[in-house]
Amino acid sequence: MIDNKTLNIAIDATVSKLNDLFGASPAVAVVLGSGWAGAVSLVQDAKHLSYAELAAFPQPKVEGHVNEIVVGTIGAQRVVMLRGRAHTYESGECTGMAGALRSLKRWGVQVLLQTNASGSLRANMGPGSLMLISDHINAPQRSPLVGEQGSERFVDMSHAYDAELRCHAKKVAQAQNLMLGEGVYCWALGPQFETPAEIRMFAAWGADAVGMSTVPETILARHAGLRVMGLALMTNMAAGMSAEALTHALTLQQAALSGERAASFLGAVVAGLAELPSLQSAAA
Ligand code: HPA
């Protein structure tokens, strides 16, 4: 884990580069998880930049991810998309996105829209379904804020997923006639899939979906002062809930099947943010 001083130097360099290359920041950043990459093709006037050019960004290595940012507009909304995230199961560290998210906040981003692929714990929310994240369970009880100083580290997580942004996503789903579930996302460390007994335990805790990402980034984003929205694409029924064996290939395959619908919904959600009064006034 790199120390805060080194990280801050990397963040300074990253923010300068973002300003130099792209000017003022978009209000909205989107983290594209498995299955959501199709949204990149919706970005107009897209400029691409590899994470390798951004000192505070991670260099993840998971199949199915490209490590770059894409800056442009969807409708009237400027956006920066992050293709690729650092997962805790890659290194054991859950701080991998700290530099990237703090850089985005320093640049001027206000909203972090996270997307992911998840296993479903709800029989009526099968593969291909989309779920708006209302709350999360940090099952590993790991925090990317361990070692931070100051009272800001005691982040209030009681409204981690922004109520106004959730309301916006639901309106867009309704307008598109799209079934959008809403529920609790449970973070499992991975990289192994869960056991059926773990899934029964998560269900008893109140989880509706399970996955290996998102939660550390939500904690980091709330600490940084970003508003957070989360969308999960169900790629499979969670362990023990279907006869099918769980494999990474299966999740990627289902993600590809549903990717177009997910991307088009995501595009409409982002475009609609241009109308959101709280974002407009904050930018003025
Ligand atoms: N478990 C954990 N992560 C996942 C799953 C799952 O069933 N599906 C997609 N990502």
Side-chain angles (χ1 to χ4, degrees), residues 15 31 37-38 45 50 84 88 116 196 208 220 240 252 283:
V15 176
V31 179
D45 302 319
S50 164
T88 306
N116 67 43
D208 300 293
L220 286 164
L252 291 180

Side-chain angles (χ1 to χ4, degrees), residues 52-125:
E53 304 292 321
L54 297 168
F57 274 61
Q59 314 294 318
K61 297 172 195 74
V62 176
E63 189 189 335
H65 292 283
V66 182
N67 301 315
E68 64 171 15
I69 61 166
V70 181
V71 181
T73 58
I74 300 183
Q77 182 62 56
R78 278 189 79 219
V79 65
V80 50
M81 293 200 163
L82 278 66
R83 304 183 70 183
R85 48 155 63 98
H87 295 88
T88 306
Y89 62 72
E90 293 171 63
S91 64
E93 302 287 349
C94 58
T95 51
M97 295 301 285
L101 297 179
R102 288 172 189 165
S103 298
L104 292 176
K105 171 65 184 176
R106 280 262 307 278
W107 188 24
V109 167
Q110 297 166 42
V111 168
L112 182 72
L113 203 176
Q114 299 215 58
T115 62
N116 67 43
S118 297
S120 173
L121 276 70
R122 281 216 313 245
N124 63 354
M125 198 167 65

Side-chain angles (χ1 to χ4, degrees), residues 117-120 185 188 192-194 199 210-212 233 235-239 246 251:
S118 297
S120 173
Y185 174 84
Q192 77 287 350
F193 285 104
E194 302 71 36
I199 292 300
V210 61
M212 303 176 194
L233 167 61
T235 52
N236 55 280
M237 294 311 294
L246 287 177
T251 62

Side-chain angles (χ1 to χ4, degrees), residues 119-123 125 131 134-139 182-187 198-211 238 241:
S120 173
L121 276 70
R122 281 216 313 245
M125 198 167 65
M131 188 189 91
S134 59
D135 201 350
H136 75 220
I137 296 172
N138 181 348
E182 185 173 20
V184 173
Y185 174 84
C186 181
W187 175 33
E198 286 165 345
I199 292 300
R200 288 194 297 275
M201 179 181 72
F202 293 159
W205 285 356
D208 300 293
V210 61
M241 295 187 64

